[in-house]
């Protein structure tokens, strides 16, 4: 059991509320209203801007070149892969990258991203990566589970682009590398006495992830 699995087990209820949220379930079975996905996707673009800042902060907090390279890889994934996916999908609704960037941040977006940045500013590199892990690794787990459940049906699924992107080998490798790097940081900086603090931090990040999904569902209801 690596440190990620230990954290997930310690915050099991919070993790379940995130990865098995109604938003995820509805996305998997194709019943998620487009308005919910659109609300989520636009806010997730803004979310990624702040997460890019978090990885830039991780570079500053790094004490080794290996840690710096890991932060650089995370930043590149956000700026060159994930944000491009969001722009491509939002173009279907006539939304440009400039319009996305000009959209006001929802309270759920602010709450989650500033929590992660605060963990990085007030804590060390391990604190920051524990706060980042539910998003980075969680998306890989969710997408892989949905893709496996859908099988060939994914080809005609309304959310095949999102599921396919995060279930594909390149992003799965990103998540794998993030877990391995988290293990390395824990080996250097974690004591058993500190584990409970990290688990609480991890659980809070998972709860904020669930709140982010909920924002999408409530956004769809507001559009009715």
């Amino acid at each position: 059991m690596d440190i990620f699995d230990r954290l997930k087990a310690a915050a099991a209820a919070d993790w379940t509320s995130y990865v098995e949220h109604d938003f995820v379930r509805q996305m998997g079975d194709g019943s998620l209203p487009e308005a919910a996905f659109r609300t989520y996707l636009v806010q997730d673009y803004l979310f990624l801007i702040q997460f890019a800042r978090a990885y830039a902060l991780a570079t500053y907090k790094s004490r080794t070149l290996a840690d710096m390279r890991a932060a650089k890889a995370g930043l590149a994934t956000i700026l060159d892969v994930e944000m491009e996916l969001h722009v491509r999908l939002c173009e279907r609704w006539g939304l440009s990258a400039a319009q996305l960037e000009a959209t006001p941040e929802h309270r759920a977006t602010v709450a989650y991203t500033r929590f992660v940045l605060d963990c990085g500013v007030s804590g060390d590199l391990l604190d920051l990566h524990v706060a980042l892990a539910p998003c980075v690794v969680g998306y890989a787990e969710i997408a892989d589970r949905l893709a496996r459940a859908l099988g060939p049906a994914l080809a005609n699924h309304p959310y095949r682009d999102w599921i396919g992107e995060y279930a594909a080998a390149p992003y799965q490798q990103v998540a794998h590398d993030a877990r391995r790097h988290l293990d390395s940081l824990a080996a250097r900086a974690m004591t058993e006495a500190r584990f409970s603090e990290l688990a609480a931090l991890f659980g809070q990040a998972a709860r904020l992830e669930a709140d982010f999904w909920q924002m999408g569902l409530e956004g769809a209801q507001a559009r009715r």
Side-chain angles (χ1 to χ4, degrees):
M1 181 179 285
D2 64 7
I3 185 62
F4 183 84
D5 278 336
R6 287 189 62 194
L7 290 167
K8 191 165 66 171
D14 294 322
W15 185 257
T16 299
S17 74
Y18 160 40
V19 300
E20 297 182 13
H21 194 277
D22 279 347
F23 186 102
V24 174
R25 180 184 57 77
Q26 292 176 30
M27 181 162 59
D29 65 24
S31 66
L32 182 70
E34 184 181 282
F37 187 69
R38 176 172 174 168
T39 297
Y40 152 76
L41 199 67
V42 171
Q43 287 298 316
D44 201 46
Y45 185 85
L46 303 173
F47 174 100
L48 288 172
I49 292 173
Q50 300 303 326
F51 259 45
R53 294 177 63 217
Y55 276 101
L57 176 60
T59 303
Y60 175 77
K61 288 276 186 173
S62 296
R63 295 184 178 182
T64 70
L65 287 174
D67 290 339
M68 289 181 181
R69 291 190 178 102
K72 177 187 174 183
L75 181 59
T77 296
I78 290 173
L79 295 179
D80 301 332
V81 179
E82 291 188 81
M83 294 183 78
E84 289 301 315
L85 169 68
H86 287 57
V87 170
R88 187 169 73 249
L89 293 177
C90 286
E91 282 176 345
R92 300 174 181 176
W93 302 311
L95 294 172
S96 67
Q99 288 173 306
L100 291 175
E101 193 170 347
T103 302
E105 289 180 296
H106 190 279
R107 290 189 302 275
T109 309
V110 174
Y112 190 4
T113 58
R114 280 22 171 228
F115 166 75
V116 171
L117 286 166
D118 181 66
C119 286
V121 171
S122 62
D124 63 6
L125 194 60
L126 178 57
D127 289 311
L128 177 55
H129 278 284
V130 167
L132 288 165
C135 179
V136 180
V137 183
Y139 270 38
E141 288 195 6
I142 289 169
D144 182 65
R145 186 182 78 234
L146 295 181
R148 289 178 185 275
L150 287 164
L154 179 61
N156 298 309
H157 194 277
Y159 300 113
R160 61 185 176 274
D161 291 316
W162 189 96
I163 296 171
E165 184 75 43
Y166 289 105
Y171 190 81
Q172 292 294 313
Q173 186 63 49
V174 168
H176 173 78
D177 291 344
R179 290 181 69 142
R180 187 171 58 183
H181 186 226
L182 190 63
D183 249 7
S184 173
L185 290 172
R188 286 179 272 154
M190 193 191 80
T191 63
E192 287 307 308
R194 186 181 177 186
F195 178 77
S196 60
E197 296 177 2
L198 295 173
L201 191 159
F202 183 92
Q204 178 65 28
R207 289 194 297 276
L208 290 166
E209 279 283 6
D211 290 346
F212 203 75
W213 294 137
Q214 188 62 32
M215 170 201 64
L217 293 181
E218 292 173 359
Q221 293 170 358
R223 289 172 182 264
R224 291 177 181 174

